[in-house]
Amino acid sequence: MLKSLLARWQQGYRTIPFPSEKVNLPDRFRGRPEIDPSKCPDGCRECVKACPTDAILPTENHFQIDLGRCLFCTDCQEACPSGAITHSSDYRLAARKRNDLLVGEEVLRLAGALEEKRKKLFGKSLKLRQVSAGGCNGCEADVNVLQTIVFDLGRFGIQFVASPRHADGLLVTGPVTGNMSSALHKAYEAIPSPKLVIAVGACAIAGGPYMGQAEVKNGVDGELPVDLYIPGCPPHPLTILDGLLRLLGRLEKG
Amino acid sequence: MVSPVTLNLKNSQAANCSDIPVYPFSAFRDHIITSVKNGAKLSALFGNPVTDQGLQLMSVLSYPESGTLSLLAASVGESYASLTPDCPAAHWFEREIAEQWGVTPLGHPWLKPIRFHQPFGNHANIWGWNPDEAVKPGVTDFFQVKGEEVHEVAVGPIHAGVIEPGHFRFNCHGETVLHLEIALGYQHRGIERALQSGPDKKTLHMMETLAGDTTIGHYTAYCQALEGLSGCAVPPRAQALRAMALELERLANHTGDLGALAGDIGFLPTASFCGRLRGDFLNLTALICGNRFGRDMIRPGGVLFDLEEQRKEKFLGNLENAFRDVKRAAELLWESSSVVSRFEKVGVITREQAVQLGLVGPAARACGLAHDIRCDFPAGAYADFKIPICTQEAGDVNARAYLRWMEIQKSVAYVRTLANALPPGPIRTPAGALPANRVAVSMVEGWRGEICHVAMTDDVGKFHRYKVVDPSFHNWMGLAVAMRQQQISDFPMCNKSFNLSYCGHDL
């Protein structure tokens, strides 16, 4: 007993002061990718060709990056002959609409809050049922981490629950395999309305590296109505937390 | 009987596909059964389509004493005599072959699909599923126990926590589990089918996400295979950085597992501490490569990110801090008699069972089997810098937990040594194109155990067949056996003591 108390004292206080203070991410952290078209050699399409998920689309005088497809990998950067592509350290990536994730000349429009009715219902207490539908356990792991003392999701009134009947919404990871489709729909139907759906990670948004495979459905879109998209492969825990808090209208100033 | 001459390779060494001897099936079968009885391990058994001869079965037997991987093939028709009755370690492999290629192992005691998908190409489905209908995962026969007061408990595919899906059926008498049957396949994304005719620009990313918590493990196995095939010599500095990343992956997951085990028995101090500390190890990986899971850390020919002097200082400081705290959290477990009494004698696997089932990794080492790819088939940095094997004897939850704590200590020491002795020089060399008609077997000791990749190229240097065996593939049956005669309420703890991968199995 005394040893437990001593260990508790030694471990100290470990919850990060998010969102009140700025968080330190590693210097090599790959947040939102940015292309500086002024550096691009004429007609160069190397990044477009290199992107494993075809997330980079050339436009008239710029490029558009689909953050929903982006794996936040280094393939485009490596392929770029002129160093035009950088990853910013900005971890904030979540959006309400699928099209909002297409960025280029347009800046990323970060997720806004739920409409009044659902915000009033869920704003201070949100219970989520998580369903992994072909996820690699990367997104699942970094969702799970929100429940540790570091992020302490409970202090925001957000909690993961076992039964969909106790939930206000679904948090889906994975490209939605054919084999999980039926279970995913059953879980959704079991949640009382009004409800919400959150797609976490490149797979859940657009299929990720499994996009186009006959065995998967290319993500949650087309299967269920999605209220929040959180890009990443996997998204950093802060990206997920930031998205959840924006959805509940608790980060509108940041 | 004269035993067949096999193609013997070292880890990641390449040979011509035509050098793999093809024997009549009966000799192939006898050779595998005899070799496994004599201490060889069945690391892979899979179907390989050959244009003019139909399907070949190919086996990879690994011999820990000599560090040899031996390959042998045999042609089969629509059916063959199952190996499983004489070699239980073939059980899951034969079900996989039947599902992928529509070939029936005659006499297999429990011939069911393992992933629930239609066969590759035009091969027939041996269970007669209608090709126009969606596959019904989990819809199959389950082992049944009959008797008064015997009841079944069905769990999943969606489980209670934030965890991957799978379907478990417990046959119980009161609280006691008589038998557990596990049905998987819900995470099946068609990786092996997609890998044929690769590599392409998606291949690396499929390897990274084959099992997301084993990104470095599978990534390393894949790169080793490619480097073996193309004859690329990876610079020593890159080898050291890869080994460090692999050990960090082990540290994060083993630490997380200790916390989760503590959580399952309601011992909240360690559960809470380790939840945070797992992240500290992930953040060490992110300090090197920017991603907590090691995404993009490794590329064929080396690594993408270096650990420069200044970064190393911070890295080592953070490593020591994390280790100091893990030490306290882990020691607390074994200083608490309430924890030990919950862990001990639960979910026991005997040494004999472990051998028969072909268990790998910590689950096998906890039964006294001193097998570890890092020591038996060393590649990369492990060939020069040795890491000791840890074992336990009891084969219960306590042994599997304590083994993790032992391995945490060895891994920290290993990472520290490597970081301080990082060889100078480049971190990457160009990896050339893949030559035609070559084969290589690549093995890595991931945190769950033996990862085996077999890469075979075709006439133009594309993958003719790429076989992946995740450690969980060997171990799921171990969990089922460990649950026999246990309290059903001990399942979460038993399950966590194995902590197997669903997506790594389902591919």
Side-chain angles (χ1 to χ4, degrees), chain B residues 433-467:
Chain B
L434 297 183
N437 300 314
R438 300 277 282 175
V439 57
V441 182
S442 170
M443 307 265 273
V444 168
E445 184 75 22
W447 64 276
R448 284 194 184 91
E450 176 183 308
I451 294 169
C452 179
H453 287 204
V454 186
M456 301 172 81
T457 55
D458 61 12
D459 292 337
V460 291
K462 290 286 183 184
F463 292 140
H464 161 69
R465 181 83 170 101
Y466 196 99
K467 180 81 201 97

Side-chain angles (χ1 to χ4, degrees), chain B residues 6-145:
Chain B
T6 54
L7 171 63
N8 293 335
L9 299 173
K10 293 289 174 193
N11 191 355
S12 313
Q13 185 190 347
N16 290 328
C17 289
S18 56
D19 292 341
I20 303 171
V22 183
Y23 273 78
F25 179 76
S26 60
F28 173 86
R29 185 179 186 277
D30 289 346
H31 176 71
I32 295 176
I33 292 167
T34 315
S35 305
V36 170
K37 273 190 184 138
N38 292 334
K41 172 118 192 32
L42 187 59
S43 288
L45 178 67
F46 59 97
N48 175 40
V50 183
T51 327
D52 48 348
Q53 300 157 42
L55 190 74
Q56 262 183 8
L57 292 194
M58 191 157 295
S59 67
V60 177
L61 289 165
S62 53
Y63 295 84
E65 282 77 22
S66 60
T68 310
L69 303 165
S70 94
L71 281 77
L72 191 66
S75 292
V76 288
E78 283 175 12
S79 64
Y80 64 92
S82 168
L83 285 81
T84 303
D86 300 304
C87 175
H91 170 108
W92 221 256
F93 285 116
E94 292 197 306
R95 281 169 60 172
E96 182 187 47
I97 292 165
E99 186 169 40
Q100 290 184 337
W101 306 103
V103 169
T104 308
L106 298 170
H108 190 288
W110 201 225
L111 186 58
K112 295 174 38 165
I114 61 168
R115 299 194 180 103
F116 295 87
H117 63 78
Q118 292 288 5
F120 292 166
N122 301 322
H123 296 274
N125 182 299
I126 65 163
W127 297 282
W129 298 345
N130 183 347
D132 301 324
E133 275 177 31
V135 171
K136 298 186 186 77
V139 178
T140 172
D141 290 335
F142 281 85
F143 191 80
Q144 285 189 318
V145 181

Side-chain angles (χ1 to χ4, degrees), chain B residues 301-322:
Chain B
V303 296
L304 278 188
F305 299 95
D306 202 356
L307 185 67
E308 314 87 334
E309 246 353 88
Q310 208 186 346
R311 189 177 298 272
K312 191 167 90 182
E313 247 171 67
K314 185 174 181 194
F315 176 88
L316 285 171
N318 291 359
L319 177 74
E320 296 310 328
N321 287 343

